[in-house]
């Protein structure tokens, strides 16, 4: 049977009527920017996360830049960021005038640790971006104990939990992406920033609207970065399903382990006490690209996402040229994402594992 890498459509099928009604309500109201849907979603998502404030913005990348700006990150500052992650995690830093400083990650959890962050700290460090990669949960409190504020990049971790709470409410400030393939996805671009600090929340609200509080006086050079009403309405319909979808994603990870995949590849490990709602289910294998080809021949989706880590990307040469990150390089060579979604079945998981076994790649 065909097994797609992603399946964002099937979980939405039971919600189709409610989604259509929500969109129709916005069209009927005729208010499309910063209206009641955005305000309601901000309140509902804040309650879900356990955060005091949520501010909707246009996308996850701008969420990171605005969060850094709210922390007064600017020229002359440094921001520590992992290199094994999506490019936007680091791309957001130069937009503030600051310099990215790349750190390594733990090879079993794929997340930054206090040790990998500490190795990259300097007197110029103004913030740390800690990525909850693939839905796993980075140890935010332990990293903040190093004395530098942490920006949680929670783009891939909506629906995950940890003993300290949900991603988005674990550090000084957090960011989310609602790109359609995410665990909580809009029907286009969207993002949000969460914080428990009222002053930071006020700064974010000002920055997302051209640096103005009242559309008359412009206090800062800001951004035109607002979550729109249609996307907020779509997200509000889906938000009550997020825990159920997250639980299914966890089940899929358990099914992979129960099906014997660990005998054929190295499985991802949750951080201590975390219950990841896996956004991507990423294994390690000695021959990942050969395995991807074998799975494709069986009509099974698979992908390597970060074959070239960020510090080796051409645009980051100024900051990454002399950086050595052994675990990052190893993960870049050996990782492979297998199918996962909130609709993947046990039979499909067994099909994937059988295809990995049949590939006989050692």
């Amino acid at each position: 049977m065909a097994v797609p890498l992603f399946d964002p459509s099937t979980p939405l099928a039971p919600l189709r009527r409610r989604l259509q009604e929500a969109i129709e309500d916005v069209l009927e109201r005729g208010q499309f920017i910063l209206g009641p849907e955005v305000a309601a979603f901000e309140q509902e998502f804040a309650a879900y996360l356990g955060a005091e404030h949520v501010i909707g913005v246009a996308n996850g990348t701008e969420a990171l830049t605005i969060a850094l700006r709210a922390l007064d990150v600017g020229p002359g500052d440094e921001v520590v960021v992992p290199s094994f992650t999506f490019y936007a995690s680091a791309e957001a830093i130069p937009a503030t005038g600051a310099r990215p400083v790349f750190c390594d990650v733990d090879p079993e959890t794929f997340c930054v640790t206090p040790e990998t962050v500490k190795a990259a700290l300097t007197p110029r460090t103004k913030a740390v971006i800690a990525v909850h990669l693939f839905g796993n949960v980075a140890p935010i409190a332990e990293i903040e104990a190093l004395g530098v504020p942490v920006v949680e990049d929670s783009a891939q971790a909506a629906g995950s939990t940890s003993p300290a709470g949900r991603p988005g409410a674990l550090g000084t400030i957090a960011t989310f992406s609602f790109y359609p393939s995410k665990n909580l996805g809009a029907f286009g671009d969207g993002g949000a920033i969460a914080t428990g600090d009222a002053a930071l929340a006020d700064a974010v609200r000002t920055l997302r609207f051209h640096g103005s509080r009242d559309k008359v006086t412009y206090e800062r050079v800001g951004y035109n970065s607002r979550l729109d009403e249609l996307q907020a309405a779509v997200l509000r319909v889906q938000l009550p399903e997020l825990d159920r979808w997250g639980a299914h994603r966890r089940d899929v990870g358990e099914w992979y382990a129960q099906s014997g995949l660990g005998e054929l590849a190295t499985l991802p490990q949750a951080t201590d006490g975390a219950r990841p709602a896996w956004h991507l289910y990423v294994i390690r294998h000695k021959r990942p690209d050969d395995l991807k080809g074998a799975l494709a021949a069986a009509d099974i989706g698979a992908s390597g996402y970060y074959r070239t880590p960020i510090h080796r990307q051409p645009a980051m040469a100024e900051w990454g040229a002399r950086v050595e990150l052994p675990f990052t390089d190893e993960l870049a060579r050996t990782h492979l994402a297998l199918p996962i979604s909130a609709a993947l079945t046990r039979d499909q998981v067994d099909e994937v594992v059988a295809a990995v076994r049949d590939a006989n790649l050692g």
Side-chain angles (χ1 to χ4, degrees):
M1 73 177 79
V3 185
L5 181 60
F6 283 109
D7 181 7
S9 299
T10 300
L12 296 180
L15 306 178
R16 189 179 183 90
R17 181 182 59 80
R18 291 165 53 198
L19 288 165
Q20 290 174 331
E21 290 173 351
I23 292 169
E24 288 290 339
D25 286 346
V26 174
L27 296 176
E28 183 69 24
R29 192 180 299 118
Q31 185 175 0
F32 301 107
I33 301 293
L34 293 186
E37 294 293 339
V38 171
F41 173 72
E42 290 175 340
Q43 293 174 359
E44 291 161 6
F45 196 43
Y48 174 85
L49 297 175
E52 291 294 322
H53 308 276
V54 163
I55 303 97
V57 294
N59 56 68
T61 305
E62 289 182 353
L64 285 165
T65 298
I66 292 172
L68 292 171
R69 288 279 311 280
L71 290 169
D72 292 326
V73 171
D77 294 330
E78 294 179 350
V79 178
V80 174
V81 64
S83 180
F84 189 68
T85 182
F86 180 56
Y87 180 69
S89 299
E91 181 187 26
I93 299 168
T96 70
R99 173 179 181 267
V101 176
F102 296 103
C103 72
D104 219 339
V105 294
D106 177 77
E108 294 185 348
T109 67
F110 309 124
C111 289
V112 294
T113 69
E115 292 74 25
T116 65
V117 169
K118 186 176 182 179
L121 294 178
T122 77
R124 291 177 178 264
T125 305
K126 192 68 172 287
V128 174
I129 294 178
V131 183
H132 299 305
L133 197 64
F134 306 142
N136 213 349
V137 185
I140 301 301
E142 292 88 339
I143 295 170
E144 284 213 322
L146 297 173
V148 181
V150 170
V151 178
E152 295 177 69
D153 183 343
S154 307
Q156 299 183 7
S160 295
T161 63
S162 78
R166 299 183 189 274
L170 303 177
T172 298
I173 195 166
T175 65
F176 287 86
S177 167
F178 302 126
Y179 188 77
S181 65
K182 293 296 193 291
N183 293 4
L184 179 64
F187 288 179
D189 277 316
I193 298 169
T195 183
D197 187 311
L200 287 178
D202 183 64
V204 169
R205 291 189 185 97
T206 302
L207 286 165
R208 77 168 172 183
F209 194 87
H210 302 286
S212 176
R213 302 168 192 267
D214 58 7
K215 305 183 185 180
V216 175
T217 302
Y218 296 88
E219 305 168 26
R220 308 178 68 166
V221 175
Y223 305 84
N224 179 18
S225 184
R226 298 162 297 194
L227 182 67
D228 68 62
E229 285 285 283
L230 283 170
Q231 301 304 345
V234 165
L235 292 167
R236 290 186 68 202
V237 172
Q238 295 180 67
L239 181 57
E241 310 299 323
L242 182 55
D243 277 344
R244 181 171 60 83
W245 290 341
H248 188 91
R249 288 174 177 274
R250 281 190 289 276
D251 287 345
V252 171
E254 292 175 4
W255 294 341
Y256 274 125
Q258 293 166 3
S259 296
L261 183 60
E263 302 166 7
L264 310 168
T266 302
L267 306 187
Q269 300 298 312
T271 53
D272 287 346
R275 301 177 68 239
W278 297 111
H279 170 61
L280 296 173
Y281 191 80
V282 177
I283 61 169
R284 294 169 58 196
H285 193 276
K286 292 180 181 178
R287 298 167 60 186
D289 292 327
D290 290 338
L291 179 57
K292 176 183 175 181
L295 293 175
D299 209 7
I300 293 170
S303 181
Y305 276 83
Y306 312 131
R307 284 283 177 261
T308 302
I310 301 175
H311 74 289
R312 299 193 183 280
Q313 293 289 348
M316 294 290 162
E318 176 182 351
W319 306 290
R322 292 175 296 279
V323 175
E324 295 297 329
L325 304 173
F327 292 145
T328 290
D329 287 336
E330 175 69 13
L331 292 173
R333 286 192 300 268
T334 61
H335 79 282
L336 188 70
L338 299 182
I340 192 164
S341 76
L344 200 70
T345 67
R346 180 62 188 262
D347 286 345
Q348 288 177 310
V349 167
D350 291 342
E351 186 79 9
V352 173
V353 175
V356 173
R357 183 173 286 107
D358 290 346
N360 196 28
L361 293 174

